[in-house]
Amino acid sequence: MNGNEAAASQDAAGAARQAMLIVLLTAATMLAFAANSLLTRLALQTTAIDPTSFIVVRLASGAAMLALIVMLQRLRLPSLQKSWPSAVLLFIYAVAFSFAYRGIDTGAGALLLFASAQLTMIAYGYARGERASLPGVLLALAGLVAFLAPGAAAPALLPAGLMTIAGIAWGGFSLLGRFSQDTPVGNTASSFIWALPLALGLMFLQRDAIRLDGVGVAYALLSGAVMSGLGYAVWYWVRVRMTAIAAGSVQLSVPVLSALLGMMMLGEHLGAERWLAGAAVLAGVAITTLSAARRARQRKG
């Protein structure tokens, strides 16, 4: 084997190792995002911690982890002037997400969160003149309506509404991050840091209802520091090494993983009709995402 062949072989081996690393890290981050729903549901269903305390611990630990990563990478944090809209949306998401999980199953909550976030971003694209697959949007909306339709397994209206608000806020947060000129990790770290005073203010207002619990605090620490802070830092590294279609597609696994975790850890059961409705939502989002990506490539070409 000559020098050129040896170099080509080493390059191929290096590319294969990086591809495997991306696959493993992608699977780990999707599992981490799904675990956020499980940990929140576990904390609020099986321990005495109240939602506000869970929010404060989650945001504080997430901010600490992200700040550490920012320092290690020697990144700059955006100013408050740049960060406050994202911080407010992150706070709204965290509050609605946590209070919703007092009364909605893990998988149902994750599906509503994902669907409302994706539909918010799709609606924003339509408002800007972008066009995707109308059948895909209609399929997702029809699946969402079917999922929420009255029935024995339907989620309660108030928790479902709160999770929809959480998804809309998360969709807005994602859009702000997409158009930000700052690094994704720095932008997210700044948002967590500035959302924390809002959460502390909520804790002061809810001081009579505060209930701390050791296990509940541990769940919140895991959710904030590991699943959110570290999880998003790893995801940002992986995302830039994937195509937009692949990045959008793998996120479809999060509601499914959340539902499976809820079934294994909490004995939850969605029912066949909810699974079908959820599958329609995910299929509609996938069709719309693929259509939008194809149109974007055609415009560039």
Side-chain angles (χ1 to χ4, degrees), residues 124-198:
Y124 176 81
Y126 266 80
R128 294 186 63 204
E130 299 175 7
R131 292 295 177 265
S133 169
L134 182 59
V137 174
L138 293 177
L139 178 61
L141 289 173
L144 197 57
V145 170
F147 189 85
L148 295 171
L157 184 58
L158 179 58
L162 285 172
M163 194 59 80
T164 301
I165 292 171
I168 293 171
W170 188 253
F173 178 85
S174 300
L175 287 169
L176 289 177
R178 180 185 300 176
F179 298 116
S180 174
Q181 299 301 312
D182 299 293
T183 61
V185 173
N187 189 61
T188 304
S190 184
S191 299
F192 266 77
I193 290 169
W194 291 114
L196 183 56
L198 298 175

Side-chain angles (χ1 to χ4, degrees), residues 122 133 135-141 279-289:
I122 291 168
S133 169
V137 174
L138 293 177
L139 178 61
L141 289 173
V281 173
L282 298 180
V285 170
I287 292 169
T288 305
T289 301

